[in-house]
């Protein structure tokens, strides 16, 4: 059992995304974290600078369009989240954590949605 609340970390992640707060978002990740996005092909980002390069152009657009928490639940080794952008575009993200309570890895992929909506994660 971990000494930190994984669900609370993901809620903090959602809140940082809603505010467009890149510094807070990056602080939630471990220094050697990995992010894999399969929304538009498979892209992998490793370490703070690559994750920052991934999130910087997306955060302001997401926060302006509206970033909503749709579902959140514990998973066998972390937390699974479904969020929406602009109330329609849905994205699934799976979070895994380091022993010190930082996000070790994130995998995002398109969630089930209307055919006319694409994924912008």
């Amino acid at each position: 059992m971990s000494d930190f609340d994984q669900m609370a970390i993901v809620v903090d992640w959602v809140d940082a995304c809603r505010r467009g707060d890149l510094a807070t978002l990056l602080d939630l990740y471990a220094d050697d974290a990995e992010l894999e996005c399969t929304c538009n092909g498979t892209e992998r980002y490793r370490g703070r600078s690559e994750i920052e390069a991934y999130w910087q152009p997306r955060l302001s657009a997401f926060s302006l369009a509206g970033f909503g928490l749709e579902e959140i639940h514990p998973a066998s080794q972390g937390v699974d989240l479904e969020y929406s952008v602009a109330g329609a575009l849905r994205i699934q993200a799976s979070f895994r954590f380091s022993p010190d309570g930082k996000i070790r890895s994130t995998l995002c992929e398109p969630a089930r949605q209307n055919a006319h909506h694409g994924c912008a994660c």
Side-chain angles (χ1 to χ4, degrees):
M1 184 80 167
S2 61
D3 292 339
F4 57 92
D5 185 345
Q6 296 178 353
M7 297 279 277
I9 293 168
V10 175
V11 170
D12 289 346
W13 184 93
V14 170
D15 288 343
C17 289
R18 283 181 175 152
R19 292 188 313 270
D21 186 343
L22 182 61
T24 297
L25 182 72
L26 293 173
D27 286 344
L28 296 171
Y29 283 92
D31 291 337
D32 60 347
E34 295 183 9
L35 185 153
E36 181 177 344
C37 178
T38 63
C39 293
N40 296 310
T42 300
E43 301 175 44
R44 288 185 179 89
Y45 304 86
R46 290 180 177 88
R48 186 179 179 102
S49 63
E50 289 185 17
I51 292 173
E52 179 176 11
Y54 172 84
W55 275 113
Q56 192 165 33
R58 289 166 176 82
L59 266 189
S60 60
F62 283 11
S63 63
L64 289 174
F67 192 98
L69 188 155
E70 300 298 328
E71 290 184 39
I72 185 171
H73 55 87
S76 62
Q77 297 180 4
V79 174
D80 288 342
L81 167 73
E82 185 170 316
Y83 63 92
S84 62
V85 178
L89 178 64
R90 292 189 138 193
I91 301 163
Q92 291 180 301
S94 297
F95 296 85
R96 303 302 177 252
F97 298 89
S98 65
D100 64 343
K102 296 286 188 173
I103 299 169
R104 178 178 40 93
S105 67
T106 305
L107 167 64
C108 72
E109 57 193 358
R112 192 168 146 188
Q113 51 204 314
N114 294 335
H116 65 279
H117 294 120
C119 184
C121 67

